[in-house]
Amino acid sequence: AMGLQELCAKVLEEMRDVFVEIRENLVPEGPGAADPENEALARQLMASAPGFVMGLNQTTLIAEDPEGISEAFQLLKCSPGGIVQVRNTFHKKADVGDECRRLKVWVPVKADRYGPLLAEVTLMLVDDYWEERWQQLPLAYFRGGLDRHVKPERPTMDALEK
């Protein structure tokens, strides 16, 4: 997840983009009465813009076997909001690079006042999850993620060669 400052910057950027789209398509500036339905839609879009910023709306589901992932996917697919987008790196032709195999889906989550928020759900096998945790451990250490008081110094090549 991103820090508060980056999150606020992303939210403002998304809101500006939504505002420009509203001005161009729904409620143009200038004289004349705007359509009340378009104005209501514009208000709803501006209120829901922060929900499209991914950073805090993430979760991971860890399954013991591929059948568990398939079952969770089918459950999300049949939910009221359905699935908005899928990124599947389980299939043979997936370009995964250094990352482990996973299924990422983006689903709308109902919020009371502002409409749905978009959430990223990552479905992983338990072995892949723990392997990724071990791979990320050195990065978290040097980023200072394990120590809240001091950011550790990255070792120099001279120190590594000793």
Side-chain angles (χ1 to χ4, degrees):
M2 61 182 84
L4 182 60
Q5 188 171 4
E6 294 111 3
L7 181 66
C8 290
K10 286 278 194 186
V11 168
L12 284 174
E13 180 182 326
E14 182 66 28
M15 290 182 81
R16 284 186 192 110
D17 292 345
V18 169
F19 182 75
V20 167
E21 189 173 332
I22 287 170
R23 282 292 177 215
E24 290 174 354
N25 300 321
L26 291 176
V27 186
E29 287 187 272
D35 183 15
E37 287 182 22
N38 285 348
E39 284 186 3
L41 181 58
R43 279 193 298 279
Q44 182 182 3
L45 284 171
M46 285 301 291
S48 65
F52 291 104
V53 176
M54 298 307 293
L56 297 178
N57 304 332
Q58 299 174 336
T59 189
T60 303
L61 178 115
I62 303 162
E64 290 288 330
D65 53 20
E67 290 80 21
I69 289 180
S70 178
E71 188 178 325
F73 178 78
Q74 293 302 325
L75 186 66
L76 288 171
K77 194 164 103 174
C78 295
S79 66
I83 293 176
V84 176
Q85 185 177 352
V86 176
R87 181 170 182 257
N88 182 5
T89 59
F90 277 108
H91 62 84
K92 287 190 251 184
K93 295 181 182 179
D95 181 26
V96 291
D98 291 340
E99 70 178 301
C100 63
R101 305 262 179 202
R102 67 183 81 208
L103 178 66
K104 281 190 178 185
V105 295
W106 287 266
V107 295
V109 176
K110 185 178 180 190
D112 291 337
R113 185 171 177 198
Y114 299 113
L117 296 174
L118 205 55
E120 177 185 283
V121 179
T122 302
L123 307 168
M124 299 176 72
L125 293 172
V126 68
D127 293 338
D128 291 334
Y129 173 78
W130 286 113
E131 181 178 343
E132 183 184 50
R133 294 283 287 190
W134 279 107
Q135 288 175 348
Q136 296 297 319
L137 185 61
L139 297 174
Y141 173 77
F142 287 112
R143 196 174 49 240
L146 304 176
D147 188 333
R148 300 293 178 206
H149 304 291
V150 188
K151 184 174 180 182
E153 294 290 325
R154 183 174 289 276
T156 63
M157 286 301 292
D158 293 335
L160 290 174
E161 291 173 356
K162 289 182 182 181

